[in-house]
Amino acid sequence: MPTVLIIDDNAAVAIALDVLFSLHDIAALRASSPEEGLALLGSEAVDLVIQDMNFTADTTSGEEGVALFREIRKRHPDLPVILLTAWTHLDAAVDLVKAGAADYLSKPWNDERLLATVTNLIELGQANRALSTRLQRERRARRELEQNFDLRGLVWQDPATERVLSLACQVARADVPVLISGPNGTGKERIAEIIQANSQVADGPFVVLNCGALPSELIEAELFGADAGAYTGASKAREGKFEAADGGTLFLDEIGNLPLAGQMKLLRVLETGRFERLGSNRERQVKVRVISATNADLGAMIRAGTFREDLYYRLNVIELRLPPLAARPGDILPLAIGFLPRGKRLHPSAEAALLAHAWPGNVRELKNVMARASLLAHGETIMVADLGLPAAPAAVSETEPDRDAIAQALARAGGVVAQAAAELGLSRQALYRRMERLGIARSA
């Protein structure tokens, strides 16, 4: 039950207010002097104060009320205060409202208006306290993360990012595979670096392989290495990423692009730590922490038969879902400012434009926008026009396009792969790889 403190030397006024509040489930405390009222504020939990402006007989200046209000505001800066005043004290009451009083009411007051004011202020105060508590908790959690873990200089402020970071740091020292999911450009590799930096193999190598940046026939050689003559052009033996990452961490980005043969070999390495180079029968042993990332819907790929279910569960011991930038708006301005060179600053209108943009390209797009704006800005302040943001950005799919989506895009583009790839948010090479994997024939 909310509690109101009534500070008034007129017992009849205090009793009338007490009765009014009790009929509406509001508890009331009464004090007949400023000293008694301040003492109750120091010992009781109070949601709101209603105070008179005069407490001494034959005094009408309102100075006592002003002094009481200022002392309450000094000790309890966020506590709402309603002033009860006669018309002769109206100017003093108005001045106190300008100084932070919540409202003033003249005697005799209107019960309906008083109740509405008190109820609204109590609800607002409770909401503000809840917000303050949440912000304090978030600041405390942020300080603990920064003090206890190596965050590799990551810039963030949004609670959604903090939740991902907290879980990443929590599981970093566990020797289990981690899958980081989320749209392209959200910073999945940075999360992988943080896991590595706080793991038991932090001093070991951190090796990165983007499975979507290589032709399917070369991915296995990149992962496991190859002996000379293992494939056309392999004139000498080469070390694979697993060997390079021995004693450290291997980060496999766009894991959904790994061909089925490579998936089977990867599963065996995860289970046994053993593998053979392409073209070799000699088994090699490694100790590698694997972190993988994807922007694809691996569940849909499993149903389509293009991704092994047993590998999915082996990689997905811990999954970290990194939201798109638009879903963590608290990160936008800190990141934008962090991307600016020293001496540059954002105009408030530019800040508003950054917050209003949908960011289909996520953090990568934001970084490029700030780099371009820094070059185009005339002077130290970056304006809206310098950002070059479209008025209505096109939506970009956050999931891996399936066979039907690719076929429809190709049909709309008249078979022009470059045009279809742009519509799907892919590079031409990435679309070719997906067409090959899904068995979609190239146009003549």
Side-chain angles (χ1 to χ4, degrees), residues 348-367:
S349 61
E351 293 182 350
L354 291 173
L355 292 172
H357 186 57
W359 299 112
N362 297 293
V363 179
R364 188 177 297 136
E365 180 189 3
L366 175 60
K367 184 176 182 180

Side-chain angles (χ1 to χ4, degrees), residues 38 41 44 57 64 102 232 293 314 326 331 336 399 428 434-435:
L38 292 171
L41 279 177
E44 302 289 341
E64 292 173 308
T232 303
R314 195 70 174 80
D331 290 344
T399 59
R428 185 175 60 180
R434 286 160 176 79
M435 290 169 63

Side-chain angles (χ1 to χ4, degrees), residues 276-358:
E276 298 93 20
R277 288 180 177 177
L278 291 182
S280 171
N281 292 322
R282 185 167 73 84
E283 196 171 64
R284 287 170 167 80
Q285 179 83 41
V286 291
K287 179 64 175 177
V288 174
R289 167 80 173 276
V290 173
I291 302 173
S292 53
T294 184
N295 70 325
D297 183 348
L298 295 185
M301 294 183 66
I302 291 171
R303 292 189 293 274
T306 56
F307 200 85
R308 293 179 63 100
E309 186 173 14
D310 48 4
L311 176 59
Y312 172 75
Y313 289 117
R314 195 70 174 80
L315 293 171
N316 192 26
V317 175
I318 297 292
E319 181 174 3
L320 302 177
R321 297 181 180 271
L322 190 56
L325 183 58
R328 38 192 176 108
D331 290 344
I332 294 174
L333 292 183
L335 283 168
I337 293 169
F339 291 142
L340 289 176
R342 186 181 300 275
K344 295 285 186 178
R345 61 177 179 269
L346 289 166
H347 189 273
S349 61
E351 293 182 350
L354 291 173
L355 292 172
H357 186 57

Side-chain angles (χ1 to χ4, degrees), residues 3-333:
T3 300
V4 172
L5 172 60
I6 304 161
I7 310 176
D8 199 307
D9 62 328
N10 188 329
V13 170
I15 291 171
L17 290 173
D18 192 344
V19 171
L20 175 64
F21 293 141
S22 67
L23 295 174
H24 295 83
D25 296 323
I26 299 174
L29 299 173
R30 289 184 282 168
S32 60
S33 68
E35 295 76 17
E36 185 182 355
L38 292 171
L40 283 171
L41 279 177
S43 61
E44 302 289 341
V46 173
D47 297 288
L48 180 143
V49 172
I50 298 178
Q51 69 153 82
D52 194 12
M53 294 295 289
N54 292 291
F55 297 92
T56 303
D58 301 324
T59 300
T60 60
S61 67
E63 292 179 1
E64 292 173 308
V66 172
L68 173 60
F69 170 78
R70 288 176 176 167
E71 189 62 29
I72 292 174
R73 185 55 68 240
K74 177 181 176 182
R75 300 186 187 186
H76 307 276
D78 298 323
L79 186 63
V81 178
I82 296 177
L83 309 171
L84 280 179
T85 177
W87 286 109
T88 52
H89 309 139
L90 185 58
D91 289 343
V94 171
D95 289 341
L96 292 186
V97 169
K98 293 178 180 178
D103 202 354
Y104 65 88
L105 297 173
S106 59
K107 296 178 181 178
W109 61 85
N110 178 284
D111 283 354
E112 187 174 338
R113 180 190 168 187
L114 176 59
L115 280 171
T117 301
V118 167
T119 301
N120 290 337
L121 288 172
I122 287 175
E123 290 178 353
L124 179 61
Q126 291 172 338
N128 286 339
R129 284 193 295 276
L131 176 61
S132 177
T133 300
R134 180 172 66 80
L135 291 176
Q136 289 176 7
R137 184 171 62 249
E138 289 173 0
R139 284 193 291 267
R140 184 169 58 251
R142 181 187 180 95
R143 285 195 301 269
E144 290 175 354
L145 279 174
E146 291 174 335
Q147 291 169 1
N148 298 330
F149 299 98
D150 180 357
L151 302 181
R152 313 303 291 170
L154 186 72
V155 174
W156 95 97
Q157 201 170 82
D158 198 274
T161 307
E162 182 183 299
R163 287 191 289 271
V164 176
L165 271 178
S166 180
L167 182 55
C169 293
Q170 181 181 344
V171 304
R173 294 191 65 81
D175 187 18
V176 295
V178 176
L179 174 65
I180 307 171
S181 60
N184 282 334
T186 50
K188 296 189 289 294
E189 185 172 340
R190 294 299 303 278
I191 299 298
E193 290 174 359
I194 290 170
I195 295 174
Q196 152 77 4
N198 296 280
S199 70
Q200 297 184 59
V201 292
D203 295 332
F206 180 75
V207 178
V208 178
L209 175 64
N210 187 332
C211 300
L214 293 169
S216 58
E217 61 271 14
L218 294 181
I219 291 179
E220 286 188 54
E222 285 290 325
L223 275 175
F224 310 112
D227 278 356
Y231 57 90
T232 303
S235 58
K236 60 181 180 179
R238 59 180 300 181
E239 182 182 67
K241 299 298 186 184
F242 265 102
E243 289 178 80
D246 193 15
T249 300
L250 174 60
F251 175 58
L252 300 176
D253 200 4
E254 292 197 38
I255 189 68
N257 286 332
L258 190 63
L260 285 171
Q263 292 177 31
M264 182 173 63
K265 290 187 176 182
L266 175 59
L267 178 63
R268 180 168 181 263
V269 180
L270 291 174
E271 291 175 341
T272 66
R274 296 188 177 95
F275 67 95
E276 298 93 20
R277 288 180 177 177
L278 291 182
S280 171
N281 292 322
R282 185 167 73 84
E283 196 171 64
R284 287 170 167 80
Q285 179 83 41
V286 291
K287 179 64 175 177
V288 174
R289 167 80 173 276
V290 173
I291 302 173
S292 53
T294 184
N295 70 325
D297 183 348
L298 295 185
M301 294 183 66
I302 291 171
R303 292 189 293 274
T306 56
F307 200 85
R308 293 179 63 100
E309 186 173 14
D310 48 4
L311 176 59
Y312 172 75
Y313 289 117
R314 195 70 174 80
L315 293 171
N316 192 26
V317 175
I318 297 292
E319 181 174 3
L320 302 177
R321 297 181 180 271
L322 190 56
L325 183 58
R328 38 192 176 108
D331 290 344
I332 294 174
L333 292 183

Side-chain angles (χ1 to χ4, degrees), residues 405-406 408-426 431:
I406 292 175
Q408 291 169 13
L410 286 168
R412 286 191 293 270
V416 179
V417 172
Q419 184 177 331
E423 178 182 332
L424 293 168
L426 301 170
L431 179 54

